[in-house]
Amino acid sequence: MTTAADLAHLNQRRLFPPKVWTALVIAILVMAALPALNLLLPAGSALHVSDYTITVCGRFMCYAMAALALDLAWGYAGILSLGHGIFFALGGYAQGMYLMRAIGRDGTYHSNLPDFMVFLNWKHYPWYWAFTDHFLYAMLLVVLVPGVLAFVFGYFAFRSRIKGVYFSIITQALTYAAMLLFFRNETGFGGNNGFTDFKRILGFDITHPTTRAALYWTTLAVLALMLVVARLVTQSKLGRVLTAVRDAEHRLRFLGYEPLGFKLFVWTLSAVMCGIAGALYVPQIGIINPSEMSTSNSIEMVIWVATGGRGTLIGPIIGAGVINSLKLWFTSVFPDYWLYALGLVFVLVTLFLPQGIVGLVRQIAARAGKVRGAAIGARQNTEGAE
């Protein structure tokens, strides 16, 4: 006979509970159908999905990846980063370098160099642009640049046992310094304008509806894969150690575990995931500039995670969608007051929803279960008395 303890243990071993699997499959199928409705139905049809909607949904999925990456570090290992925007932007710049090289002679000055380099009278590409005309090499940069930066920075920070608010401030300072560096024209990244006016990706017209649909589906598939990988990590023994690092790092060290390797792994993995999100973001939005490294963007990522539910994986994805949908509406109606509204949302979430949207849903479900259990118990007692 299967006991309640056996069922609980079985649920822990599953990647996702059956209800969550069902919800995920439905959500993925609905999201995957949107580009098909855009391609197959005429613009006048009631079910037609506009190009703008496809672009917005693709952007939101990239934000969801970034939120998921941050939740892996903050929600499970207690590493609060206020500078994850740097990893997102570095992945975007690595992708943007390939896209700029793919323009060829289509630019204003009809040169093999990007227009901003011709304008600055550059004669050739800088050495760090070498081989970026190869897609696979650019994708390697998407993974390596954020990963190596995170590994080196994390190694010295974690070895020095910097954590808490001090670590958060340092990550914010690092991102701000990188933003100032990328704003300079002589760095070879387009200055404050960044990269834009992309033409082709892998030889295909980047503005063609079919190409946009392919980018959208790729983004959806990568988001689903990241969710599975994050779930596998957090459910493994490594995930339990990461939780111990978050809750009782000193006690973990006393038991013989050295937290450095565990923190460094999850920090680097989180940075790589964020870089991949940035790389998928750029071809869909059509621009990457240093403003993506602004501290406000990194703080927004934290708010996405907190709103959805820290340490839940699904929550940050929901939080990214909710906050960015609110931002899309608010900036069109009250554009000057969005930052005030965002601050108010964060305060309200901190005070009244400390476990986020997912935590609220769990509380409601638990209360409903208790009420249902009490009603069943009362019914059984009544039937027994009869």
Side-chain angles (χ1 to χ4, degrees), residues 161 241 244-245 248-262:
R161 298 187 181 180
V241 175
V245 169
E249 185 174 344
H250 293 295
R251 185 177 299 178
L252 185 69
R253 188 175 285 110
F254 178 77
L255 293 174
Y257 288 87
E258 175 51 54
L260 173 61
F262 299 102

Side-chain angles (χ1 to χ4, degrees), residues 59-367:
R59 183 177 69 189
F60 283 10
M61 287 190 291
C62 294
Y63 290 155
M65 291 183 205
L68 178 63
L70 180 59
D71 187 45
L72 200 57
W74 181 33
Y76 287 88
I79 305 172
L80 174 58
S81 169
L82 295 180
H84 250 47
I86 187 174
F87 305 126
F88 186 88
L90 287 175
Y93 267 99
Q95 177 74 281
M97 292 166 75
Y98 165 76
L99 295 174
M100 293 300 290
R101 293 286 290 260
I103 291 176
R105 292 183 175 271
D106 294 340
T108 303
Y109 300 99
H110 303 289
S111 169
N112 288 327
L113 297 175
D115 288 347
F116 72 88
M117 289 187 181
V118 178
F119 180 76
L120 295 172
N121 202 29
W122 289 32
K123 303 303 181 183
H124 53 79
Y125 284 102
W127 63 268
Y128 44 85
W129 278 72
F131 307 112
T132 52
D133 53 337
H134 300 286
F135 180 77
L136 292 180
Y137 179 77
M139 295 306 99
L140 186 63
L141 289 181
V142 167
V143 174
L144 286 182
V145 174
V148 170
L149 176 63
F151 183 87
V152 173
F153 172 81
Y155 176 77
F156 289 104
F158 299 143
R159 192 184 67 167
S160 303
R161 298 187 181 180
I162 299 174
K163 58 183 179 179
V165 65
Y166 302 104
F167 182 85
S168 301
I169 292 173
I170 292 175
T171 57
Q172 191 174 55
L174 175 68
T175 304
Y176 188 71
M179 182 183 69
L180 295 180
L181 178 65
F182 274 68
F183 265 122
R184 300 175 64 89
N185 286 325
E186 54 266 34
T187 56
F189 293 108
N192 62 326
N193 294 322
F195 300 153
T196 187
D197 195 28
F198 307 128
K199 305 296 183 182
R200 290 179 295 275
I201 182 169
L202 290 173
F204 297 99
D205 182 2
I206 202 169
T207 60
H208 194 275
T210 304
T211 307
R212 290 190 174 276
L215 288 169
Y216 178 98
W217 283 321
T218 302
T219 304
L220 179 60
V222 173
L223 174 59
L225 179 61
M226 282 188 180
L227 179 60
V228 171
V229 170
R231 182 69 174 177
L232 288 172
V233 169
T234 55
Q235 277 203 320
S236 65
K237 293 181 180 180
L238 171 61
R240 291 193 287 272
V241 175
L242 291 176
T243 305
V245 169
R246 178 194 66 192
D247 296 337
E249 185 174 344
H250 293 295
R251 185 177 299 178
L252 185 69
R253 188 175 285 110
F254 178 77
L255 293 174
Y257 288 87
E258 175 51 54
L260 173 61
F262 299 102
K263 296 171 74 172
L264 197 56
F265 169 78
V266 73
W267 171 251
T268 305
L269 176 61
S270 176
V272 169
M273 291 169 61
C274 223
I276 293 173
L280 289 167
Y281 173 86
V282 169
Q284 296 182 85
I285 302 305
I287 187 172
I288 178 68
N289 57 42
S291 64
E292 293 297 337
M293 297 184 188
S294 66
T295 54
S296 60
N297 283 8
S298 297
I299 292 173
E300 277 195 35
M301 292 182 187
V302 174
I303 297 177
W304 301 342
V305 176
T307 301
R310 181 165 68 102
T312 61
L313 298 182
I314 296 291
I317 295 175
I318 297 173
V322 169
I323 294 299
N324 282 288
S325 297
L326 180 63
K327 180 180 181 179
L328 192 65
W329 172 82
F330 211 95
T331 51
S332 64
V333 180
F334 308 106
D336 296 332
Y337 300 99
W338 164 242
L339 290 179
Y340 298 102
L342 184 65
L344 178 62
V345 168
F346 186 60
V347 170
L348 293 176
V349 168
T350 303
L351 292 177
F352 302 107
L353 289 176
Q355 297 178 343
I357 296 173
V358 171
L360 176 63
V361 172
R362 287 175 175 173
Q363 290 178 4
I364 294 174
R367 291 178 182 176

